[in-house]
Each structure stands twice: as C-alpha cells, then as structure tokens.
C-alpha cells in the first residue's frame, strides 16, 4: 500500500528566503512522485515529477525536489520565495497510469512581505 | 487549446438528492479521472475511466458512479447525497494510459458541491 505524509500543515516564510516543504512516502515498490500546487480558486498545477530518472528534479517557477530512497523522502525546495508562491502544495505518489493516485494532506505556504 | 472544463462551477443540493457533474477533457486526452477534495484535505481518488471503461476505483460507496462518453467527456453521479459529500470535485484528463508509465494528469477547476 502507498501513503504520503506531509510533515507540516502550514509553513510561513519571508519573501526572498528559502522554502522547504517536506514529504515522506511509503510504497512497496519504486514509486513515481509529484508535487502539485493549488492556488485559491484555481486548478491543480503540476510543479515537478520524479519517475526513476535523475534523483534531483527541477520544476517550474524555480522549484526543485530531491528523491532520497534511503529516507523515503521527496522534499520540495526553492532558494527564494516570491509572494506569488503562496498556495497549497500537495505531494503525490503513484506507480503507473493505471494505479491509484495518492495525494498527501497538503501544506499551506504563506509568504510574508 | 482549452484546458479541462467542468460544469457547473457551484451546486447546492439537499440531503437525499441526486447530482450529476460533468467534465470535458483536453482535446486528444482519452483518460478521465475524478477526485473528491474535502475542505482542508488533499484530493481523494474516486474513479479513472479510459475507453468508456472503469479502470480504477477508490474507496467510495456505490452511491458514486461515473461514465465516459464516446467523445471522452465524463459524468460523475452521486445518489442519496449526504452532508459529508460536500466537497470540491475535481476532474483530471491525461493521454492514453501506458502500462508501466505515468502520464501527467491535467486538472480542471472543479465543481464545488454543497449539501444542506
């Protein structure tokens, strides 16, 4: 069975400082991992994905994530937060296109000017 | 190109009623999935459809059903509505599913269902 844990329900950072959103997963096989962002009243947007290629994945808007199998983690980072980054972020795990997609509970990111 | 579209955007129903939600995938996408997102939680997988057949189902009761049409659009039906069915219902489309691989899902803006 697969599961996803997002360790912080809410993260607050100052504009221009680094962002770290933590995600740990549980999977009995090599998973595919994703980060999605959800802005208020907008649809979910894919930030980045890991599908067993390079362990350091670069996404849109300056975000990146590192897959660490030994720690079963897939933390999302950004060197410098922007006001427009304020949103809900979801870590997601699945295996293939035919498998159930499991979303984490989400982390709400606030950016303080 | 238009993204995934869903209708209606908002809906208010009372307990016991029936509701139908609609989704049109991105042109060229043949797979549609439905998710329920309760306020403050992550989306929960309900169904995946491809070629008009159910390919996956989450842990939802039989009151939830769906179908996919020849033009790949989809409907989600919920019978005997409960207060707990109040949520944002998201539709996502993707290209033809490929065994052993993952196709990115593109999400619509959702339908906000309120059950009173």
């Amino acid at each position: 069975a697969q599961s996803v844990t997002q360790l912080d329900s809410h993260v607050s950072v100052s504009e221009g400082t680094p962002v770290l959103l933590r995600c740990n997963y549980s999977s009995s096989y090599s998973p595919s991992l994703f980060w999605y962002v959800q802005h208020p009243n907008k649809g979910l947007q894919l930030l980045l994905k890991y599908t067993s290629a390079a362990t350091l994945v670069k996404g849109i808007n300056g975000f990146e994530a590192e897959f660490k199998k030994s720690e079963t983690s897939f933390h999302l980072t950004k060197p410098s937060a922007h006001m427009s980054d304020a949103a809900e972020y979801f870590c997601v795990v699945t295996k293939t296109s035919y498998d159930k997609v499991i979303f984490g509970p989400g982390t709400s990111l606030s950016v303080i000017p | 190109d238009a993204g995934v579209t869903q209708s209606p955007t908002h809906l208010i129903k009372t307990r016991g009623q029936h509701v139908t939600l609609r989704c049109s995938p991105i042109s060229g996408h043949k797979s549609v999935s439905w998710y329920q997102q309760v306020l403050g939680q992550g989306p929960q997988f309900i169904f995946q459809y491809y070629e008009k057949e159910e390919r996956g189902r989450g842990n939802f009761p039989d009151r939830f059903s769906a179908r996919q049409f020849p033009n790949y659009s989809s409907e989600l039906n919920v019978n005997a509505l409960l207060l707990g069915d109040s949520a944002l219902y998201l539709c996502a489309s993707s290209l033809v599913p490929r065994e052993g691989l993952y196709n990115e899902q593109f999400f619509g803006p959702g339908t906000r269902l309120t059950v009173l």
Side-chain angles (χ1 to χ4, degrees), chain B residues 14-67:
Chain B
T14 57
R15 283 178 298 175
Q17 285 189 311
H18 162 90
V19 69
T20 297
L21 310 181
R22 296 176 176 83
C23 171
S24 292
I26 292 172
S27 177
H29 285 194
K30 299 184 177 181
S31 178
V32 170
S33 297
W34 287 95
Y35 295 81
Q36 180 196 65
Q37 186 178 16
V38 173
L39 195 63
Q41 297 181 19
Q44 300 291 315
F45 172 75
I46 308 176
F47 291 110
Q48 183 192 39
Y49 273 77
Y50 170 61
E51 291 292 358
K52 298 181 288 182
E53 289 187 10
E54 181 183 304
R55 302 291 178 145
R57 185 185 182 107
N59 297 325
F60 281 82
D62 292 343
R63 298 185 297 107
F64 288 78
S65 64
R67 56 178 177 169

Side-chain angles (χ1 to χ4, degrees), chain A residues 16-70:
Chain A
T17 64
V19 175
L20 170 63
L21 304 183
R22 297 182 293 169
C23 171
N24 286 90
Y25 69 92
S26 172
S27 179
S28 56
Y29 43 73
S30 182
S32 295
L33 295 160
F34 310 82
W35 277 97
Y36 278 85
V37 62
Q38 187 176 37
H39 287 93
N41 301 316
K42 291 190 176 181
L44 286 158
Q45 181 183 22
L46 180 67
L47 278 177
L48 47 80
K49 62 183 176 184
Y50 165 78
T51 54
S52 75
T55 56
L56 182 62
V57 181
K58 294 188 183 298
I60 62 172
N61 301 333
F63 284 95
E64 62 181 39
E66 186 173 8
F67 173 69
K68 292 186 177 181
K69 186 176 181 178
S70 61

Side-chain angles (χ1 to χ4, degrees), chain B residues 81-108:
Chain B
L81 285 167
L82 303 174
L83 295 179
D85 295 331
S86 294
L88 180 68
Y89 288 85
L90 297 165
C91 173
S93 75
S94 62
L95 293 168
V96 174
R98 296 175 292 167
E99 189 62 51
L101 296 173
Y102 177 80
N103 282 318
E104 177 183 347
Q105 295 192 347
F106 293 81
F107 285 81

